[in-house]
Amino acid sequence: MNVLVINCGSSSLKYQLLDMDTETVLAKGLAERIGIDGAVVVHQPAGKDKVKFEQPMETHKEALDIIMAALVDADHGVIKDLKEIDAVGHRTVHGAETFASSVVINDEVIKKMEDCSELAPLHNPANLIGIRACEELLPGVPMVGVFDTAFHQTMPAEAYIYPLPYEMYEKYRIRKYGFHGTSHRFVSLTAAELLGENIGNLKLISCHLGNGASVAAIRYGKCIDTSMGLTPLAGLEMGTRCGDIDPAIIPFLCDKGYTVDQVNTMMNKESGVLGVSGVSSDFRDVEAAAEAGNERAKLALDIFIYRVKTTIGAYVAAMDGVDGIIFTAGLGENSSKDRAAVCSGLKYLGIQLDEEKNSKRGEALVISTPDSRTKVMVIPTNEELMIARDTVELVG
Ligand code: AMP
């Protein structure tokens, strides 16, 4: 069964075509700058060179037209006919309380997704555009929506209700939702396989540390807390996002003359490691600057490590223990130094890292020593595969 996985942003569209009988990627690619000058599709058939299509694309449908033509092209195609696409899985950002798991998309689901758009105005409308474009181009092909928030819907109320007046939750649906759920779910399931244990017996803490970063407490396969909130701004320090700050800072800045929009932009785009270091939002640049003696770059990284560590500590308390800690995403998968820095403060969990294993890259691996009381793992995330697996399960 071939599944096309689509991840639509406001001006971009990522895709992967997977053969789910073997769970292999047949082709993948990215359309960028849709509706803007310089639009381009980069198409990568498995085992072959990348192909670039630089041509104007006004809409996501036009981008998908190019992608579909590339998929069946005589030279760089990987299927003969679009009929070989059996189903489409869509990454969808916000499912609010409506979607606690993945779902087959129909008109009623689309209507409910529109209702969730208020909570993710930058993301959900783009996801819906992708869904409509696929409906037109692949009529009759079943589609599945996989929500970033769904995995976190198992959190208990004490974890997700903010101590604001309760009507704020009832009237405006203000609560903690959490994000990166597809990634946290994928790596926690893979961790159980790696440890040879039933996920129903494990207490895991998953650290998705990329440009956006979040931690999740997963007890017996179910998320019971996570660090992002109503929006992906909450929790850890990130590339450009501030994470948790005293909420009173916002009216304080507004009293100083900043508009709400300015503060919002500051917190989302000008804060985090970029804001503290003044160097870059890319952790690699900040690490290079810190090594060259830049004190603010060092401080930005120290804050990051401190927050990851203290969030792990909070989740050990929330679960009354932990069996395994997982590192994933750009920094979590690639930076042995940062993993070691986080773990160096977790001796009370009986953690001992195997330095040689911690220095490896690109594979799912236990990086703690055999006698380490809490296991530590690096697991490359694969949200596309998780989306395709859900799609097969629902329509296969
Ligand atoms: P992601 O959002 O998951 O694509 O992750 C991107 C982030 O991972 C960027 O800020 C990169 O700087 C960071 N990253 C990737 N490789 C490394 C590395 N070897 N050391 C530190 N950070 C890294």
Side-chain angles (χ1 to χ4, degrees), residues 208-212 281-284 287 329-331 334-335 338 361:
H208 179 111
L209 309 179
N211 196 27
S281 64
D282 192 303
F283 282 88
R284 286 164 293 198
E287 279 177 13
L331 177 136
N334 294 304
S335 176
D338 290 322
R361 267 195 200 190

Side-chain angles (χ1 to χ4, degrees), residues 127 169 270 273 292 326 361:
N127 302 154
Y169 167 60
E270 298 159 4
V273 290
I326 307 159
R361 267 195 200 190

